[in-house]
Amino acid sequence: MEPGQIRRGQKITFLMAILRLLLELTLLGSAWKPLACLDSLLAAAISPQIPDNGSVPLIVDVHVFVSNVFDVDILQYTVSSSMLLKLSWFDPHLSWLENTDPRNFITLPSNALWTPDLTIQEALWVEWREHNPRLRVSREGFVELYTALTTKTNCDFELLHFPSDKSDCSISFYAFSNTAKELKFHPHAVNEIVSVKREYMVRGLKAQVPERQLVPCFQVTLSLENTAVKTTMALLVPGVAILLADICGSLLPLKATERISYKVTLLLSYLVFHSSLVKALPSSSSCSPLLISYFTLLLILLSLSTMETVLMYGLMARGDFSPNPAPREEGLDTANPGPRSEEPQRRDEEPRKTWAEAMDHIFLLTYVAIIGCSQIIFVIVWVWWECKSDPPPAEDIPHGGRPEF
């Protein structure tokens, strides 16, 4: 055999071996591909488990730093706030010796270890500042997690004494991925609000663990107080000013036509003010603001005053222009009846005018007394009356109840 043919045969054999090796690698990769996908799915499905603390639940200390309450909407019954959560717990399995690693602490991503998965019950929306915060693990095994959030939550405002109302708004954090036997929170609340240029101020802040809960949870309660002096003045001063203006208008002469136009204009102005006020004040199924009743009473008083003016003026006008001929006397000079006929008519009309003005004067005194008594009664009701809101549907058996697991 020639040397050229031998070399050609060796090349063909070498190429065939390479092709066979590539084919075997391809078949082997296709066989391992489903197993690799299965491993990735298992790794995604299995998350880090809560540290085993034996027969007692894992204690997680929670410090809630409330930094801002920036939006209080009484019409929508919502509160927007910003806060920082510091969660810390002890995991002895994460500790290490100094000779192994001289560092006092290390920083890890939050998805590398177990962290409480928190959900806010009253939240309409929640924005977490960091989707993957960092964990700080000390050499002794203490783990710390810092996370900030902004949330808009529902709040049941007590608006009976609006605009000097006080309400307690709760923000409840639940860890639905764990049970009460595995996890327990020890919450603490810290007020870090430094700005005072706001309508509602946080006068109290506390954190507690609700009783008889099925899952681990803790609750932060904000005690809000309305400090809007401008709102109080803008609501009460116009009402009192309109009442005083109405009393001053009643001092005008009854026969003056300007008195009716003055009263009607005042009533129409107050109707516009009352309609805008009712839209501005919140409505509630129970314990509505007392100011709604107060301004409705003012509307009724102004309406009565206007109707009294129109009625008295109508009686006087009817007495002035209705025919009331005087009886003829014997021996009168029929040729010159003018001076003699006006005197009896004037004597007949004078008692009617005096009677109408006397009734108007009596009404004015009664009206002033009613206004004074109504103001005193309103102050007494404002100070002493306490309204108890209706129970929520979850606590009323016909509408619902607590779920039983």
Side-chain angles (χ1 to χ4, degrees):
M1 213 177 204
E2 296 182 358
Q5 294 179 353
I6 295 174
R7 292 177 182 174
R8 191 179 301 112
Q10 291 177 350
K11 291 181 180 179
I12 293 174
T13 303
F14 181 72
L15 292 175
M16 291 296 293
I18 292 177
L19 292 175
R20 185 179 301 173
L21 179 61
L22 292 176
L23 181 60
E24 290 179 357
L25 292 176
T26 303
L27 293 176
L28 183 62
S30 62
W32 279 97
K33 187 175 181 180
L35 296 178
C37 294
L38 181 60
D39 292 339
S40 63
L41 290 175
L42 290 175
I46 299 176
S47 59
Q49 298 298 313
I50 183 172
D52 187 11
N53 203 28
S55 58
V56 296
L58 178 67
I59 304 299
V60 176
D61 288 327
V62 182
H63 287 78
V64 183
F65 301 91
V66 180
S67 58
N68 195 5
V69 177
F70 56 89
D71 187 15
V72 179
D73 191 347
I74 60 175
L75 297 179
Q76 300 294 328
Y77 287 89
T78 57
V79 176
S80 299
S81 56
S82 300
M83 58 189 68
L84 173 68
L85 300 181
K86 175 189 175 184
L87 298 92
S88 58
W89 62 93
F90 176 67
D91 188 359
H93 302 90
L94 299 178
S95 60
W96 67 88
L97 299 177
E98 185 177 1
N99 54 8
T100 305
D101 192 340
R103 291 179 296 179
N104 294 326
F105 64 89
I106 59 175
T107 304
L108 299 175
S110 60
N111 55 7
L113 299 176
W114 172 88
T115 56
D117 189 9
L118 299 177
T119 302
I120 302 178
Q121 183 183 18
E122 299 87 357
L124 301 178
W125 58 264
V126 180
E127 180 183 357
W128 298 92
R129 305 283 181 84
E130 298 180 5
H131 297 284
N132 189 17
R134 309 291 292 181
L135 291 171
R136 179 188 176 100
V137 183
S138 66
R139 183 190 303 166
E140 294 79 12
F142 290 98
V143 183
E144 291 184 354
L145 171 64
Y146 292 87
T147 179
L149 69 148
T150 303
T151 179
K152 183 177 182 180
T153 57
N154 182 34
C155 179
D156 293 333
F157 292 104
E158 295 293 340
L159 299 175
L160 179 68
H161 296 94
F162 178 84
S164 60
D165 53 288
K166 299 178 182 179
S167 302
D168 292 335
C169 301
S170 299
I171 304 176
S172 304
F173 293 84
Y174 284 82
F176 290 108
S177 58
N178 301 105
T179 63
K181 296 181 179 180
E182 297 176 337
L183 181 62
K184 185 177 181 180
F185 292 106
H186 280 179
H188 310 276
V190 181
N191 189 353
E192 289 193 340
I193 301 176
V194 295
S195 176
V196 295
K197 297 180 179 180
R198 60 187 70 248
E199 182 177 356
Y200 278 86
M201 292 298 298
V202 179
R203 297 302 186 187
L205 184 63
K206 65 178 181 179
Q208 59 184 357
V209 177
E211 298 179 356
R212 299 179 181 179
Q213 296 296 330
L214 301 174
V215 294
C217 65
F218 63 93
Q219 189 177 73
V220 179
T221 303
L222 304 173
S223 297
L224 302 180
E225 181 181 356
N226 194 345
T227 59
V229 179
K230 184 181 72 173
T231 304
T232 305
M233 301 298 292
L235 292 176
L236 295 180
V237 171
V240 176
I242 287 176
L243 281 180
L244 295 177
D246 185 61
I247 294 175
C248 294
S250 300
L251 298 177
L252 293 174
L254 188 60
K255 60 184 178 181
T257 57
E258 292 82 2
R259 178 173 172 177
I260 293 182
S261 60
Y262 177 83
K263 291 273 188 175
V264 172
T265 304
L266 196 64
L267 179 61
L268 292 178
S269 302
Y270 185 75
L271 283 174
V272 175
F273 172 74
H274 187 269
S275 61
S276 60
L277 176 68
V278 171
K279 293 180 181 179
L281 290 178
S283 59
S284 175
S285 58
S286 61
C287 300
S288 296
L290 284 174
L291 285 183
I292 296 179
S293 302
Y294 175 73
F295 287 111
T296 303
L297 177 62
L298 295 187
L299 178 61
I300 295 174
L301 292 176
L302 288 176
S303 301
L304 290 176
S305 177
T306 304
M307 288 188 292
E308 183 271 340
T309 299
V310 174
L311 180 61
M312 291 294 104
Y313 186 83
L315 291 176
M316 284 190 61
R318 179 172 296 181
D320 288 340
F321 299 106
S322 62
N324 188 16
R328 287 182 176 273
E329 296 182 2
E330 296 181 359
L332 287 177
D333 187 9
T334 58
N336 191 14
R340 295 180 178 272
S341 62
E342 290 180 358
E343 292 179 1
Q345 184 178 0
R346 192 174 299 171
R347 284 195 301 267
D348 292 339
E349 291 177 358
E350 189 67 26
R352 292 189 180 183
K353 293 181 181 179
T354 305
W355 175 80
E357 291 175 354
M359 291 295 296
D360 182 66
H361 184 68
I362 293 173
F363 177 81
L364 176 60
L365 296 179
T366 307
Y367 184 64
V368 173
I370 292 175
I371 289 177
C373 293
S374 64
Q375 301 300 312
I376 296 174
I377 293 174
F378 177 75
V379 172
I380 294 175
V381 171
W382 182 276
V383 173
W384 294 101
W385 189 33
E386 297 291 338
C387 180
K388 186 177 181 180
S389 302
D390 296 335
E395 297 181 2
D396 197 0
I397 297 301
H399 297 281
R402 289 188 178 275
E404 296 181 359
F405 294 89

